[in-house]
Amino acid sequence: MRKQNNANLGAASTGLLVIDVQNDFCPGGQLAVQDGNIVVDPINQMIACAQNVVATQDWHPQGHSSFASTHPDKTPFEAVEMSYGKQTLWPDHCIQGTNGADFHKLLQADAFQMIVRKGFRQAIDSYSAFFENDRKTITGLDGYLRNRQIDRLVLAGLATDYCVAFSALDAASLGYNVSVVMPACRAIDLEGSLAAQIMAMRDAGIELLEYVPA
Ligand code: VGL
Ligand code: ZN
């Protein structure tokens, strides 16, 4: 059985991983997650307590293959078959260098020690902070965390059922002790994806915290 995590954010071996808290995932954005902005305050509280803080930033080129607009006759939230398997299509979002790709303006982004950009390859989407959607291409985050001797991760951000869950599941499979701070996450919830990913995270031994740790 996986050891339970007390999510002590101040520990040298613990990393806070802030996932995709970007304007396009917040109300008014191109792929707005309901109440996405609500995560900013609890995440800032955790940043203030954490010794190690890493963030991800969804970072797509124009005409990215995950955009419905790139595919003739496709609409957002439909799926297509890509070379690496099934891919959900999204509205254009988090385009490199745009306001939509920026972190939420109230997020304490100055505290980020490392920012992992993902989804920058035209032909591959990336939900996870560790592996792109082909499940082979690596982002380099695992090497960075290993080098820094961080072996426990506390995750929060957007969206619970996509980038947060994919990152948490990959982290657990890579051997990290993983907690997800549910009050500091919000979901897209497409066709039961939230319930399915909560089950998958529980099955993987990931601790789902219902409070904001210090
Ligand atoms: C995300 C869909 C597409 C996320 C990113 O951050 O959860 N979801 N790109
Ligand atoms: Zn994206």
Side-chain angles (χ1 to χ4, degrees):
M1 248 249 284
R2 185 174 292 275
K3 195 161 116 275
Q4 284 287 291
N5 193 341
N6 69 13
N8 173 11
L9 288 167
S13 60
T14 298
L16 174 63
L17 184 51
V18 178
I19 304 289
D20 295 2
V21 182
Q22 293 166 260
N23 292 325
D24 270 344
F25 297 123
C26 292
Q30 295 301 307
L31 179 43
V33 176
Q34 194 178 350
D35 294 331
N37 57 312
I38 293 288
V39 306
V40 172
D41 275 355
I43 289 174
N44 284 342
Q45 283 175 42
M46 290 191 284
I47 287 172
C49 302
Q51 190 171 148
N52 308 303
V53 188
V54 173
T56 63
Q57 190 173 25
D58 210 39
W59 193 251
H60 301 306
Q62 281 185 26
H64 190 250
S65 57
S66 76
F67 296 167
S69 64
T70 302
H71 302 261
D73 307 319
K74 294 289 174 195
T75 55
F77 311 110
E78 269 186 83
V80 286
E81 205 56 44
M82 304 271 236
S83 59
Y84 53 78
K86 190 176 160 203
Q87 169 70 48
T88 300
L89 297 177
W90 305 103
D92 291 22
H93 65 279
C94 296
I95 294 175
Q96 297 170 4
T98 64
N99 175 68
D102 285 348
F103 294 117
H104 188 289
K105 69 175 188 303
L106 298 178
L107 185 68
Q108 295 296 311
D110 288 352
F112 297 155
Q113 297 156 359
M114 161 82 161
I115 297 170
V116 180
R117 287 175 167 168
K118 59 184 181 61
F120 54 79
R121 289 183 179 81
Q122 194 72 235
I124 317 178
D125 199 8
S126 187
Y127 298 146
S128 165
F130 294 94
F131 296 99
E132 300 194 16
N133 285 9
D134 62 358
R135 314 310 297 145
K136 289 189 190 74
T137 305
I138 60 169
T139 64
L141 180 58
D142 182 40
Y144 171 84
L145 295 170
R146 277 176 206 277
N147 268 314
R148 293 198 52 199
Q149 298 180 297
I150 291 167
D151 59 9
R152 301 165 61 204
L153 292 174
V154 178
L155 280 80
L158 304 171
T160 322
D161 44 344
Y162 284 91
C163 294
V164 174
F166 273 74
S167 300
L169 289 163
D170 281 349
S173 73
L174 288 166
Y176 295 88
N177 193 333
V178 184
S179 298
V180 174
V181 181
M182 299 305 277
C185 296
R186 285 296 181 277
I188 295 174
D189 205 11
L190 268 191
E191 295 166 1
S193 56
L194 178 59
Q197 292 288 50
I198 285 176
M199 274 222 293
M201 289 192 281
R202 288 219 171 92
D203 287 350
I206 294 165
E207 183 182 40
L208 303 182
L209 294 178
E210 293 301 338
Y211 60 92
V212 179

